[in-house]
Amino acid sequence: MAEASLIAATTPDTHDGKHGRVRLHKHNDTGSKTDGSWMDRERHDIQTYEYLCHIGEAKEWIEACINEEIALTTDLEEEMRNGIVLAKLARSFHASSVKKIFEVTTKLQFKHSDNINCLFNAMKAIGLPEVFFFELTDLYEKKNFPKVVYCIHALSHVLAAKNMSPSINNLVGKLSFTVDQIEATQQSLEASGAAMPQFGNIENALAKAAAQEAEVVVVESPEDIERKEKEAREEWFRQNEQLFVQVQTAFRCKLARQVLLELKEADRVKKVTTVQAVVRARTAKRRMNSMRRVKAQTDKENRWIELSSNEQLFVKLQARVRGKKDRTIYKARIDHYHDNTNSIIKLQALWRAKQTRKAYKNLTSLRNPPVKIIQEFVHLLEDSDRDFEDDLDIEDLRQHVVKAIRENAATETELFDLDLKIALLIKNRIGIEEVYHQTLSEGAGATTTAAYYKKLKQSSSANAQEPRASTASHAEKCMAPFVQHTLDKDARSKLEAYQQLFYLLQTNPNYLAKTMHSLSKRSGGTVLKVLEQATLTLFGYAQNIREEYLLLNLIKTSIKLEVAEIGKLDEFWRANPLFIKLVLQYVRGAKERQFFRDLFQPLIKTVMADSNLSLETDPSFIYKNLIRIDESKTGLPSTRLPDASLEQITADPEVVALLKQNTDQLKDITGKFMTCIIASLKTMPFGIRYIAMHLKNAMNEKFPGNEEEILRIVGNLIYYRYMNPAIVAPEGFDIIETSVSPAQRKNLAEVAKTLHQISVNRLAGVENNECLKSFITSSHQKFLQFFSEASTVQSSEEFFDMDEYMDLTQQKRLSVFISPNEIFQVHDALLSCIEDIVSDPSDPIKAVLEELGPAPAPTDSLRKETYLNLVNRLPAHDSETLEHKQKLLMQETKRLVLIVIKTQSGKNLLDILESPVTEKEEQFFKQHIAMDMKKLQDRSDRKLAQNWRQFVDADSSTAPKVVTQEDGQHVAASVSSDSANTTMTRRTNNSNWKSMVDTGGLSFDRPVLKKDVPLAVAAAGMDENNLGSGSLFFGSGSLFCLKADQTLSFTFAAVKMRALENMAKLEDAGLVSKTDGYQGMINMIASDMLNRHKRKSQRKKEGQALQRTLLNLEEKAKYLEDQKQSYHDYISTCMGQHKKTLKVKKGPLPFTRQYFHLKELQKAGNVPQFGSFKFSALDLYKRGVLISMNDHNPKQYGQISLTISSAEAGVFTIDASLAGVKLTEPMELRLEDLLQCQYEGVQSMTLFEMAKVNVNLLTYLLNKKFYV
């Protein structure tokens, strides 16, 4: 039954002249009954199939009206329930009926019924009879969906008759549905109990309804009566068509069974005769074979008796004959070899070359090459001397870069501290002025001063006991971190955390990509849209190279995440990927506008210049346009039938001529557009090509073997998403300056539609236009080739010349222009998705978010944008980072694996590593190591001799005393052991040699050797201690040093054990997998073999990039040093300004402690430049400056004197004495350190490790005594 349904749905019968009519077919399956019920089931299946076709007709017509794709035919009922599609349809022909469309798609809400009412209003406005209207519950509650489809069909006829939309197509017999889809639709119809409308009688029903509403009484003529009787008969035949079909089918089945019985009877007689003949023939053959066997046995016995009597003679004779024959053949073979030695050598070479080419082809073509092929080409990875030296050069440069980065990071930290100190000094200067004015207003008397100290002390005590009350508003609190040069510690800490957070978001695309991916699954479109806007703001809308590079990395990561979620390739066509929204925002920049202007402007102007141009290829539309033209010219009804069928329309000669003319023009113009697009490959912006490349790569990795379909997806991105809007709406991309008329827009839309059909090879809407179909099909491969080339570009790092040090060489601070609201919204989104973003609790973004705490709520007062500097507070670039360690581990493991597979074989790498080691393999391993050691020794000897010659040529007069070289094995040096471990630069000159002689050190690219140490060991970066403990050193094949621990023995088994340990670490890092036998490692080694010729150019580029980075770092270091010097100068200026008093200070009162103190200083000639003051500890204790002193009670404070002097601006020397005896050594206190303590919120500090003082009161005292 199910098979019959599928066949009926896919084999339309056109013999009776009616398109789409389906013929019933009976199928003899074991599950069917012998009665006639199969015809009923078949009829129901056909009826369901036709109903699905009518739904497909409605879907195609709606898509043509609203110019966008909607759900599949089988899913259309569910999508239309919210009324969004129907509201868009209503807006397409009667926009005034649709004020607003409620487009929330997360769940069905009652407000969606407003969308459906928009369609009801629009249908009433255009005059569709209400008898065709469906009820709201028919769609919203899925009570009668066939009535909805019937209404859409009726609406299409009314709109097409008014030239307001294209005609609806007849797709019965043209669509295919699976058995499951047909059965599911039948069950849905039976569950709803809805009656199936007569779709074939819509036009008559429309006419009848219109006549009833108009209530027009017409006197019928005899001809009309006869015509109506004829139509009634035809309608009766149509209504009983299934009955006639069943009767005819039953009759044909009966005739067919009679014929079949007759054929079977004749065939049965023929088969019986044939079987009898075969049996007789086999019996005769068996008898004949038996007679032959008996005769042969008798002859054999007779011969054996004869041979047995002369057995020994025959044996000797046979042996001599065989020996002579073999000797003759062997001699002929040897002579042939001697005569054709050159040819044989060539043949052997050709055979070996063929086998090698075959193996290399397998290496290049196989996705997972076996270990055996890798073993054949291990020699490809052996490095030359120059390669080895270049690797060492690059490593030296990298170390210099890392060192420069660390130095710059330290300088930047110092600059940050200096900047804070400058701000504190400026604030203190303002505080000094306040103290001065306070002194002037209140007087300088002791009583007033003591009262002020008391007040300040109480204020300080209150601050220490309870937190300060905040009267600031919510907006002020939120805005505090973004106030320029704020000195609030909490605000600055929060600002630094936000700076670090947004730096991480910008440079690590995984955070934002996973956040948006997570929000797209569980949040509404509004939240996601806000985050998208903030994301584009974070990347500055890709206005500079760095931000564009980082935004492309974000899009690339989003592509990987979303492609990983797709189960089938077809799902991508129905999905609306999130990264597409970022792409559409990214590709609307100035570069793209200029590209589109240069590409499309001449062609679009040509299309718009022809006022008579029409590219319409729909015959129905052309036919109706002819009717409109005829009636406009004559003022009389057209002679053409307004409701003509498609066959009648295509039979009209004028329609055929216009259709051919329009099609030829459309092909010509579309061909020009396509030619220009293909020729624009070199000028196409890099960004869209890079995105297309990663979309293609992600799809190929997820769905291998679907290259052509994947290229169509890529083409949909490049053309439909990227180029199509510029063709349809050129004024929106500044391609043209004038407005576009509806006719011009229609022509441009036809061109864009045809280009889209070419890009995806879909022929919807042009099934009856063979000329256009052939053009689309033939042009599709050209477009696919263009998409393939367009999606093949270099990496973004190469294009933008970016590397891992890009941010570390920037002199200008990285910043973004963003509002606090956007910052808080991103903060809140990260907090809500943090578990989906990262799982590692030590991830830096978790630490930053924990430091920030909950996100503040956005407010209208925080919409103003501000500059947010991006700062990386993580440790400076370190060569020992996880990524670097993994890279070194990967290199080490590759070399170990190469050593292992050179020595041992197996079915896969895991089998080799886990198999036991035999004595033979151990001996082979030792021989291999001995050969590598000899190569390494020879290389070191050559390098040492070369450097020695360079040293002698550079300056023989300044060369240090070195003992001669003996047998190329040892060098006895007269240098100290300290200089023996000094490594000097490889690019030596005369001055470098002199400096090495002055310091007593000498180096030839490697550490200066200790006595009796083999050169090979030193060249490998080892010493005799490591050698003695069993360290390994090999090459990649050869040149390689692996320093092992003390327990690692120098054996092949130890090498395999180390390789297994490394493989386990790489598996934990997700770089290889044990489940596939570590095939991933073999694939990486094969890739290294194939790309060996690229390594030199890559090494050269890497060296140039490192040199360029080093120069940039040196320039940045110079810039930072200049800035540091300017900061120091400014601080000196600030401190100098502090010494300028605001009034002339009066001398101390006679016969006071201060008076005698100054007299003593003057007598000794040691008066500090900025003054000196002597206080008793009791006086400072009463003022609150002194809090306590260890080992002294307050009764002794009167005997303790504290002297504060300043000989340098901002630097104070404090002495303590008891009865004239010094208690401790003088200590130095700097004003900026005191201010730093105030900034940190420190209430008290300890002097001399014994005196505890109040920081605020001490600062006030110093300002009052020295600067006021």
Side-chain angles (χ1 to χ4, degrees), residues 723-738:
M723 295 182 175
N724 186 76
I727 299 175
V728 176
E731 71 279 8
F733 291 83
D734 299 333
I735 298 176
I736 59 172
E737 292 77 15
T738 60

mmCIF file with all atom_site columns, all heavy atoms in Angstrom, residues 723-738:
data_model
loop_
_atom_site.group_PDB
_atom_site.id
_atom_site.type_symbol
_atom_site.label_atom_id
_atom_site.label_alt_id
_atom_site.label_comp_id
_atom_site.label_asym_id
_atom_site.label_entity_id
_atom_site.label_seq_id
_atom_site.pdbx_PDB_ins_code
_atom_site.Cartn_x
_atom_site.Cartn_y
_atom_site.Cartn_z
_atom_site.occupancy
_atom_site.B_iso_or_equiv
_atom_site.pdbx_formal_charge
_atom_site.auth_seq_id
_atom_site.auth_comp_id
_atom_site.auth_asym_id
_atom_site.auth_atom_id
_atom_site.pdbx_PDB_model_num
ATOM 1   N N   . MET A 1 723 ? 26.143 39.950 -2.566  1.00 0.00 ? 723 MET A N   1
ATOM 2   C CA  . MET A 1 723 ? 26.012 40.760 -3.771  1.00 0.00 ? 723 MET A CA  1
ATOM 3   C C   . MET A 1 723 ? 24.573 41.083 -4.143  1.00 0.00 ? 723 MET A C   1
ATOM 4   O O   . MET A 1 723 ? 24.292 42.159 -4.679  1.00 0.00 ? 723 MET A O   1
ATOM 5   C CB  . MET A 1 723 ? 26.689 40.046 -4.955  1.00 0.00 ? 723 MET A CB  1
ATOM 6   C CG  . MET A 1 723 ? 28.194 39.885 -4.817  1.00 0.00 ? 723 MET A CG  1
ATOM 7   S SD  . MET A 1 723 ? 28.899 39.099 -6.285  1.00 0.00 ? 723 MET A SD  1
ATOM 8   C CE  . MET A 1 723 ? 30.642 39.188 -5.904  1.00 0.00 ? 723 MET A CE  1
ATOM 9   N N   . ASN A 1 724 ? 23.651 40.162 -3.882  1.00 0.00 ? 724 ASN A N   1
ATOM 10  C CA  . ASN A 1 724 ? 22.267 40.332 -4.332  1.00 0.00 ? 724 ASN A CA  1
ATOM 11  C C   . ASN A 1 724 ? 21.629 41.626 -3.840  1.00 0.00 ? 724 ASN A C   1
ATOM 12  O O   . ASN A 1 724 ? 20.985 42.334 -4.630  1.00 0.00 ? 724 ASN A O   1
ATOM 13  C CB  . ASN A 1 724 ? 21.441 39.118 -3.881  1.00 0.00 ? 724 ASN A CB  1
ATOM 14  C CG  . ASN A 1 724 ? 20.040 39.143 -4.431  1.00 0.00 ? 724 ASN A CG  1
ATOM 15  O OD1 . ASN A 1 724 ? 19.807 38.854 -5.599  1.00 0.00 ? 724 ASN A OD1 1
ATOM 16  N ND2 . ASN A 1 724 ? 19.083 39.503 -3.589  1.00 0.00 ? 724 ASN A ND2 1
ATOM 17  N N   . PRO A 1 725 ? 21.785 42.015 -2.547  1.00 0.00 ? 725 PRO A N   1
ATOM 18  C CA  . PRO A 1 725 ? 21.164 43.272 -2.120  1.00 0.00 ? 725 PRO A CA  1
ATOM 19  C C   . PRO A 1 725 ? 21.655 44.493 -2.883  1.00 0.00 ? 725 PRO A C   1
ATOM 20  O O   . PRO A 1 725 ? 20.896 45.438 -3.101  1.00 0.00 ? 725 PRO A O   1
ATOM 21  C CB  . PRO A 1 725 ? 21.547 43.355 -0.634  1.00 0.00 ? 725 PRO A CB  1
ATOM 22  C CG  . PRO A 1 725 ? 21.797 41.954 -0.217  1.00 0.00 ? 725 PRO A CG  1
ATOM 23  C CD  . PRO A 1 725 ? 22.395 41.294 -1.401  1.00 0.00 ? 725 PRO A CD  1
ATOM 24  N N   . ALA A 1 726 ? 22.908 44.479 -3.310  1.00 0.00 ? 726 ALA A N   1
ATOM 25  C CA  . ALA A 1 726 ? 23.445 45.620 -4.042  1.00 0.00 ? 726 ALA A CA  1
ATOM 26  C C   . ALA A 1 726 ? 22.815 45.740 -5.426  1.00 0.00 ? 726 ALA A C   1
ATOM 27  O O   . ALA A 1 726 ? 22.703 46.851 -5.976  1.00 0.00 ? 726 ALA A O   1
ATOM 28  C CB  . ALA A 1 726 ? 24.961 45.507 -4.167  1.00 0.00 ? 726 ALA A CB  1
ATOM 29  N N   . ILE A 1 727 ? 22.400 44.629 -6.023  1.00 0.00 ? 727 ILE A N   1
ATOM 30  C CA  . ILE A 1 727 ? 21.754 44.671 -7.346  1.00 0.00 ? 727 ILE A CA  1
ATOM 31  C C   . ILE A 1 727 ? 20.300 45.090 -7.214  1.00 0.00 ? 727 ILE A C   1
ATOM 32  O O   . ILE A 1 727 ? 19.800 45.914 -7.986  1.00 0.00 ? 727 ILE A O   1
ATOM 33  C CB  . ILE A 1 727 ? 21.877 43.292 -8.027  1.00 0.00 ? 727 ILE A CB  1
ATOM 34  C CG1 . ILE A 1 727 ? 23.346 42.922 -8.224  1.00 0.00 ? 727 ILE A CG1 1
ATOM 35  C CG2 . ILE A 1 727 ? 21.153 43.297 -9.374  1.00 0.00 ? 727 ILE A CG2 1
ATOM 36  C CD1 . ILE A 1 727 ? 23.561 41.534 -8.789  1.00 0.00 ? 727 ILE A CD1 1
ATOM 37  N N   . VAL A 1 728 ? 19.594 44.547 -6.232  1.00 0.00 ? 728 VAL A N   1
ATOM 38  C CA  . VAL A 1 728 ? 18.169 44.833 -6.071  1.00 0.00 ? 728 VAL A CA  1
ATOM 39  C C   . VAL A 1 728 ? 17.944 46.261 -5.578  1.00 0.00 ? 728 VAL A C   1
ATOM 40  O O   . VAL A 1 728 ? 17.014 46.945 -6.016  1.00 0.00 ? 728 VAL A O   1
ATOM 41  C CB  . VAL A 1 728 ? 17.537 43.814 -5.107  1.00 0.00 ? 728 VAL A CB  1
ATOM 42  C CG1 . VAL A 1 728 ? 16.083 44.154 -4.854  1.00 0.00 ? 728 VAL A CG1 1
ATOM 43  C CG2 . VAL A 1 728 ? 17.655 42.407 -5.673  1.00 0.00 ? 728 VAL A CG2 1
ATOM 44  N N   . ALA A 1 729 ? 18.789 46.730 -4.670  1.00 0.00 ? 729 ALA A N   1
ATOM 45  C CA  . ALA A 1 729 ? 18.638 48.080 -4.109  1.00 0.00 ? 729 ALA A CA  1
ATOM 46  C C   . ALA A 1 729 ? 19.936 48.857 -4.276  1.00 0.00 ? 729 ALA A C   1
ATOM 47  O O   . ALA A 1 729 ? 20.668 49.100 -3.306  1.00 0.00 ? 729 ALA A O   1
ATOM 48  C CB  . ALA A 1 729 ? 18.246 47.998 -2.635  1.00 0.00 ? 729 ALA A CB  1
ATOM 49  N N   . PRO A 1 730 ? 20.292 49.245 -5.479  1.00 0.00 ? 730 PRO A N   1
ATOM 50  C CA  . PRO A 1 730 ? 21.596 49.905 -5.701  1.00 0.00 ? 730 PRO A CA  1
ATOM 51  C C   . PRO A 1 730 ? 21.696 51.256 -5.011  1.00 0.00 ? 730 PRO A C   1
ATOM 52  O O   . PRO A 1 730 ? 22.795 51.691 -4.675  1.00 0.00 ? 730 PRO A O   1
ATOM 53  C CB  . PRO A 1 730 ? 21.655 50.042 -7.224  1.00 0.00 ? 730 PRO A CB  1
ATOM 54  C CG  . PRO A 1 730 ? 20.232 50.013 -7.677  1.00 0.00 ? 730 PRO A CG  1
ATOM 55  C CD  . PRO A 1 730 ? 19.519 49.117 -6.719  1.00 0.00 ? 730 PRO A CD  1
ATOM 56  N N   . GLU A 1 731 ? 20.574 51.932 -4.797  1.00 0.00 ? 731 GLU A N   1
ATOM 57  C CA  . GLU A 1 731 ? 20.648 53.249 -4.157  1.00 0.00 ? 731 GLU A CA  1
ATOM 58  C C   . GLU A 1 731 ? 21.062 53.138 -2.697  1.00 0.00 ? 731 GLU A C   1
ATOM 59  O O   . GLU A 1 731 ? 21.611 54.093 -2.120  1.00 0.00 ? 731 GLU A O   1
ATOM 60  C CB  . GLU A 1 731 ? 19.306 53.979 -4.276  1.00 0.00 ? 731 GLU A CB  1
ATOM 61  C CG  . GLU A 1 731 ? 18.169 53.423 -3.410  1.00 0.00 ? 731 GLU A CG  1
ATOM 62  C CD  . GLU A 1 731 ? 17.479 52.208 -3.990  1.00 0.00 ? 731 GLU A CD  1
ATOM 63  O OE1 . GLU A 1 731 ? 17.978 51.674 -5.018  1.00 0.00 ? 731 GLU A OE1 1
ATOM 64  O OE2 . GLU A 1 731 ? 16.456 51.776 -3.445  1.00 0.00 ? 731 GLU A OE2 1
ATOM 65  N N   . GLY A 1 732 ? 20.816 51.992 -2.090  1.00 0.00 ? 732 GLY A N   1
ATOM 66  C CA  . GLY A 1 732 ? 21.207 51.805 -0.705  1.00 0.00 ? 732 GLY A CA  1
ATOM 67  C C   . GLY A 1 732 ? 22.693 51.578 -0.515  1.00 0.00 ? 732 GLY A C   1
ATOM 68  O O   . GLY A 1 732 ? 23.191 51.617 0.598   1.00 0.00 ? 732 GLY A O   1
ATOM 69  N N   . PHE A 1 733 ? 23.417 51.305 -1.589  1.00 0.00 ? 733 PHE A N   1
ATOM 70  C CA  . PHE A 1 733 ? 24.854 51.066 -1.521  1.00 0.00 ? 733 PHE A CA  1
ATOM 71  C C   . PHE A 1 733 ? 25.641 52.158 -2.246  1.00 0.00 ? 733 PHE A C   1
ATOM 72  O O   . PHE A 1 733 ? 26.811 51.962 -2.573  1.00 0.00 ? 733 PHE A O   1
ATOM 73  C CB  . PHE A 1 733 ? 25.184 49.703 -2.145  1.00 0.00 ? 733 PHE A CB  1
ATOM 74  C CG  . PHE A 1 733 ? 24.688 48.540 -1.336  1.00 0.00 ? 733 PHE A CG  1
ATOM 75  C CD1 . PHE A 1 733 ? 23.373 48.105 -1.436  1.00 0.00 ? 733 PHE A CD1 1
ATOM 76  C CD2 . PHE A 1 733 ? 25.524 47.880 -0.465  1.00 0.00 ? 733 PHE A CD2 1
ATOM 77  C CE1 . PHE A 1 733 ? 22.912 47.038 -0.693  1.00 0.00 ? 733 PHE A CE1 1
ATOM 78  C CE2 . PHE A 1 733 ? 25.074 46.805 0.285   1.00 0.00 ? 733 PHE A CE2 1
ATOM 79  C CZ  . PHE A 1 733 ? 23.758 46.390 0.171   1.00 0.00 ? 733 PHE A CZ  1
ATOM 80  N N   . ASP A 1 734 ? 24.992 53.284 -2.515  1.00 0.00 ? 734 ASP A N   1
ATOM 81  C CA  . ASP A 1 734 ? 25.634 54.423 -3.184  1.00 0.00 ? 734 ASP A CA  1
ATOM 82  C C   . ASP A 1 734 ? 26.143 54.064 -4.571  1.00 0.00 ? 734 ASP A C   1
ATOM 83  O O   . ASP A 1 734 ? 27.102 54.655 -5.061  1.00 0.00 ? 734 ASP A O   1
ATOM 84  C CB  . ASP A 1 734 ? 26.806 54.955 -2.332  1.00 0.00 ? 734 ASP A CB  1
ATOM 85  C CG  . ASP A 1 734 ? 26.346 55.447 -0.972  1.00 0.00 ? 734 ASP A CG  1
ATOM 86  O OD1 . ASP A 1 734 ? 25.177 55.863 -0.871  1.00 0.00 ? 734 ASP A OD1 1
ATOM 87  O OD2 . ASP A 1 734 ? 27.140 55.405 -0.024  1.00 0.00 ? 734 ASP A OD2 1
ATOM 88  N N   . ILE A 1 735 ? 25.504 53.073 -5.207  1.00 0.00 ? 735 ILE A N   1
ATOM 89  C CA  . ILE A 1 735 ? 25.904 52.716 -6.569  1.00 0.00 ? 735 ILE A CA  1
ATOM 90  C C   . ILE A 1 735 ? 25.335 53.728 -7.552  1.00 0.00 ? 735 ILE A C   1
ATOM 91  O O   . ILE A 1 735 ? 26.002 54.112 -8.520  1.00 0.00 ? 735 ILE A O   1
ATOM 92  C CB  . ILE A 1 735 ? 25.432 51.289 -6.902  1.00 0.00 ? 735 ILE A CB  1
ATOM 93  C CG1 . ILE A 1 735 ? 26.097 50.291 -5.949  1.00 0.00 ? 735 ILE A CG1 1
ATOM 94  C CG2 . ILE A 1 735 ? 25.734 50.929 -8.345  1.00 0.00 ? 735 ILE A CG2 1
ATOM 95  C CD1 . ILE A 1 735 ? 25.642 48.857 -6.120  1.00 0.00 ? 735 ILE A CD1 1
ATOM 96  N N   . ILE A 1 736 ? 24.120 54.175 -7.302  1.00 0.00 ? 736 ILE A N   1
ATOM 97  C CA  . ILE A 1 736 ? 23.499 55.218 -8.114  1.00 0.00 ? 736 ILE A CA  1
ATOM 98  C C   . ILE A 1 736 ? 22.961 56.295 -7.188  1.00 0.00 ? 736 ILE A C   1
ATOM 99  O O   . ILE A 1 736 ? 22.718 56.042 -6.005  1.00 0.00 ? 736 ILE A O   1
ATOM 100 C CB  . ILE A 1 736 ? 22.353 54.649 -8.998  1.00 0.00 ? 736 ILE A CB  1
ATOM 101 C CG1 . ILE A 1 736 ? 21.274 54.013 -8.113  1.00 0.00 ? 736 ILE A CG1 1
ATOM 102 C CG2 . ILE A 1 736 ? 22.881 53.673 -10.025 1.00 0.00 ? 736 ILE A CG2 1
ATOM 103 C CD1 . ILE A 1 736 ? 20.046 53.620 -8.875  1.00 0.00 ? 736 ILE A CD1 1
ATOM 104 N N   . GLU A 1 737 ? 22.804 57.484 -7.742  1.00 0.00 ? 737 GLU A N   1
ATOM 105 C CA  . GLU A 1 737 ? 22.324 58.600 -6.929  1.00 0.00 ? 737 GLU A CA  1
ATOM 106 C C   . GLU A 1 737 ? 20.851 58.877 -7.126  1.00 0.00 ? 737 GLU A C   1
ATOM 107 O O   . GLU A 1 737 ? 20.222 59.580 -6.334  1.00 0.00 ? 737 GLU A O   1
ATOM 108 C CB  . GLU A 1 737 ? 23.126 59.871 -7.246  1.00 0.00 ? 737 GLU A CB  1
ATOM 109 C CG  . GLU A 1 737 ? 24.576 59.830 -6.797  1.00 0.00 ? 737 GLU A CG  1
ATOM 110 C CD  . GLU A 1 737 ? 25.452 58.998 -7.718  1.00 0.00 ? 737 GLU A CD  1
ATOM 111 O OE1 . GLU A 1 737 ? 25.000 58.706 -8.841  1.00 0.00 ? 737 GLU A OE1 1
ATOM 112 O OE2 . GLU A 1 737 ? 26.569 58.628 -7.311  1.00 0.00 ? 737 GLU A OE2 1
ATOM 113 N N   . THR A 1 738 ? 20.258 58.344 -8.212  1.00 0.00 ? 738 THR A N   1
ATOM 114 C CA  . THR A 1 738 ? 18.855 58.607 -8.527  1.00 0.00 ? 738 THR A CA  1
ATOM 115 C C   . THR A 1 738 ? 17.967 57.542 -7.896  1.00 0.00 ? 738 THR A C   1
ATOM 116 O O   . THR A 1 738 ? 18.432 56.501 -7.440  1.00 0.00 ? 738 THR A O   1
ATOM 117 C CB  . THR A 1 738 ? 18.649 58.618 -10.050 1.00 0.00 ? 738 THR A CB  1
ATOM 118 O OG1 . THR A 1 738 ? 19.037 57.334 -10.581 1.00 0.00 ? 738 THR A OG1 1
ATOM 119 C CG2 . THR A 1 738 ? 19.500 59.712 -10.681 1.00 0.00 ? 738 THR A CG2 1
#
